[in-house]
Amino acid sequence: MTDTPVRNTTARWRDLDRRHHLSPFTDYRDLKGAEAGSRIITRAEGIQLFDSEGEAFLDGMAGLWCVNVGYGRKELAEAAYRQMLELPYYNTFFKTATPPPVELSERLAALMPEKLNRVFYGSSGSESNDTVVRLARHFWKLEGQPEKQHFISRTYAYHGSTMASASLGGMTPMQEGFGLPLPGFHHVVPPYWYDFGGDLSPEEFGQKAARAIEEKILEIGPENVAAFIGEPIMGAGGVIVPPPGYWEEVQRICRQYDVLLVADEVICGFGRTGHWFASELFGIEPDLMTMAKGITSGYLPLSAVGVSDRIVEALLREGGEFAHGYTYSGHPAACAVALANLDIIEKEGLVERTRNETGPHLQQALHAAFDDHPLVGEVRGTGLIAAVELVKDKASRTHWEKLGRVGGICRDHCFANRVVIRAVRDAMVLSPPLVITPAEIDEMVVRLKHCIDATARDLGVL
């Protein structure tokens, strides 16, 4: 008996993937064997993915936190097509510009927090956080303080995969064996009450976590610290929602010691929290702000750094070349797609809908399903970003041995039940497209409940 044509195609793609393609963040041993290999995703529509064998999956992660307006939006494909016919590419170096990045910059300036009125483009969040490092150090040099070279971030932070952005991040596996972090990058405790709060209340721990930044500034010397960078809600670190008062104290500390405040909005931006940017939710007034992912809903690679008036004024006043940029900075087709993406978000009211309808519905549905579950220690989130923390003992907030093992078991159950939910250590994290409906949220939570129940049975908890 021969395989069906579909299976023959799948087998061929898996074989080619094994033989020629090196995927990111992959243990390549897992791809060995005729029956092993990557799942081949061939098409998508709305919030659903379809693989090469015809299976449909609910995408609870919006790709990689990015497909905010959902899959199959013809408006975005048509925007790219029109721009590619007119001007597929030209660089923005050497006092040259093209219309799409200029128009997009105006749109972003109207949406970003106050005092951010200029934009520098890249192709990924990693690139833009690299730009943050270069631009912050360049700014302090122009200000006559070139010794301000050091950056403070947090454990579990994710800021990208380049050498500089991985140094900004606090993901140990991304640093060990790579000579990272580079000199000048420091990390403090994150505002992760569930893991690190001990007997303190969330508010008390939030203040303690903020003061850890101050202690690090004083240890390094304020005259040596360029910036503190943080995601308003730490996404890839496990959807860590800061306790009330944390960001107010962080901002006060940065202002007191004249340290630039950088908001990494790569995941939180463009409606994810029910606000255009989570900086608005937490009252953050950043000096620099990185954006990516939802800026084009992932349809084309694009990222950006919002730059404050204070920094721009120094650039204009002191002059001199900022010797930094990328071939695809301000790529016209990517920027055209971003403009069309913003049109969809505004026209369909996705930010307001996330804030007032779907975001509360997701949070309420998760709490109803899991607050009393014996395997669940905490449900946390806001808007359309959430985490369900799987623990061994709820009362003592004790994790299972070999952190990440239980999350991996649950993730495998999720794939088997055709719902894409990511495991971060032992937290199951969700970040669905903003176009998700309440009925689709209910179905996603039902499937996740089935998978967490199955995991609990595997562990002998149910």
Side-chain angles (χ1 to χ4, degrees), residues 418-458:
R418 301 188 308 281
V419 58
V420 179
I421 306 291
R422 182 172 174 178
V424 176
R425 298 180 301 280
D426 287 336
M428 308 309 296
V429 301
L430 300 87
S431 175
L434 305 189
V435 295
I436 195 170
T437 66
E440 289 169 331
I441 289 171
D442 292 341
E443 176 61 22
M444 189 171 288
V445 173
V446 165
R447 293 193 196 186
L448 179 57
K449 174 71 161 51
H450 178 81
C451 297
I452 290 179
D453 286 348
T455 303
R457 287 191 291 271
D458 291 343

Side-chain angles (χ1 to χ4, degrees), residues 38-332:
S38 300
R39 177 175 288 103
I40 308 297
I41 302 298
T42 57
R43 65 184 183 92
E45 186 70 27
I47 71 161
Q48 289 198 94
L49 303 167
F50 298 87
D51 70 12
S52 56
E53 298 178 278
E55 293 284 352
F57 298 79
L58 294 178
D59 184 5
M61 284 305 300
L64 272 177
W65 320 82
C66 56
V67 188
N68 288 12
V69 300
Y71 298 97
R73 303 303 298 247
K74 292 182 179 179
E75 307 98 305
L76 302 189
E78 289 167 351
Y81 174 74
R82 288 193 301 270
Q83 184 59 48
M84 287 182 181
L85 286 180
E86 183 172 334
L87 179 67
Y89 170 76
Y90 198 70
N91 70 77
T92 55
F93 288 33
F94 316 124
K95 295 193 286 189
T96 302
T98 67
V102 172
E103 297 285 350
L104 179 59
S105 298
E106 180 189 36
R107 290 282 290 277
L108 291 175
L111 297 172
M112 292 187 297
E114 189 178 1
K115 299 180 182 177
L116 300 182
N117 289 296
R118 303 289 184 100
V119 182
F120 190 101
Y121 292 103
S123 297
S124 69
S126 298
E127 285 186 1
S128 282
N129 280 325
D130 245 50
T131 295
V132 161
V133 173
R134 298 278 289 275
L135 187 53
R137 287 177 171 173
H138 184 64
F139 165 74
W140 287 119
K141 181 180 178 181
L142 294 178
E143 291 287 276
Q145 300 182 69
E147 67 281 0
K148 287 175 81 73
Q149 295 272 315
H150 291 252
F151 291 80
I152 299 173
S153 178
R154 299 166 302 180
T155 305
Y156 291 154
Y158 182 85
H159 295 297
S161 292
T162 65
M163 296 289 278
S165 60
S167 295
L168 283 172
M171 299 286 191
T172 303
M174 295 179 63
Q175 297 172 344
E176 293 177 340
F178 298 103
L180 301 177
L182 297 170
F185 294 87
H186 311 267
H187 302 87
V188 299
V189 65
Y192 189 8
W193 172 82
Y194 195 85
D195 255 22
F196 302 116
D199 295 330
L200 298 176
S201 70
E203 291 79 6
E204 289 170 336
F205 177 69
Q207 294 300 298
K208 180 179 178 181
R211 287 195 295 273
I213 299 168
E214 182 174 31
E215 291 166 5
K216 184 61 69 173
I217 291 172
L218 293 173
E219 175 189 325
I220 300 165
E223 70 281 4
N224 298 315
V225 180
F228 167 78
I229 184 171
E231 304 157 87
I233 294 174
M234 297 174 72
V239 183
I240 299 171
V241 183
Y246 171 80
W247 273 111
E248 290 88 340
E249 182 65 3
V250 169
Q251 188 154 262
R252 183 196 68 77
I253 290 165
C254 289
R255 297 297 178 249
Q256 178 178 341
Y257 296 103
D258 201 13
V259 168
L260 296 179
L261 179 57
V262 185
D264 183 337
E265 293 266 10
V266 169
I267 286 175
C268 294
F270 302 100
R272 175 63 51 198
T273 65
H275 299 267
W276 275 101
F277 298 101
S279 292
E280 177 185 350
L281 174 63
F282 294 109
I284 305 169
E285 299 175 358
D287 297 291
L288 293 162
M289 187 174 84
T290 46
M291 302 163 274
K293 295 187 183 293
I295 195 171
T296 64
S297 287
Y299 277 60
L300 282 179
L302 183 68
S303 65
V305 179
V307 185
S308 68
D309 296 338
R310 179 190 181 189
I311 294 174
V312 171
E313 286 166 6
L315 297 174
L316 298 177
R317 181 184 69 246
E318 299 300 328
E321 181 180 9
F322 179 44
H324 171 72
Y326 309 103
T327 299
Y328 300 117
S329 292
H331 191 286

Side-chain angles (χ1 to χ4, degrees), residues 397-424:
R397 307 204 302 265
T398 302
H399 289 289
W400 291 87
E401 297 80 8
K402 195 179 178 182
L403 195 60
R405 178 179 67 90
V406 172
I409 293 170
C410 189
R411 179 198 58 217
D412 291 344
H413 280 301
C414 289
F415 276 123
N417 286 275
R418 301 188 308 281
V419 58
V420 179
I421 306 291
R422 182 172 174 178
V424 176

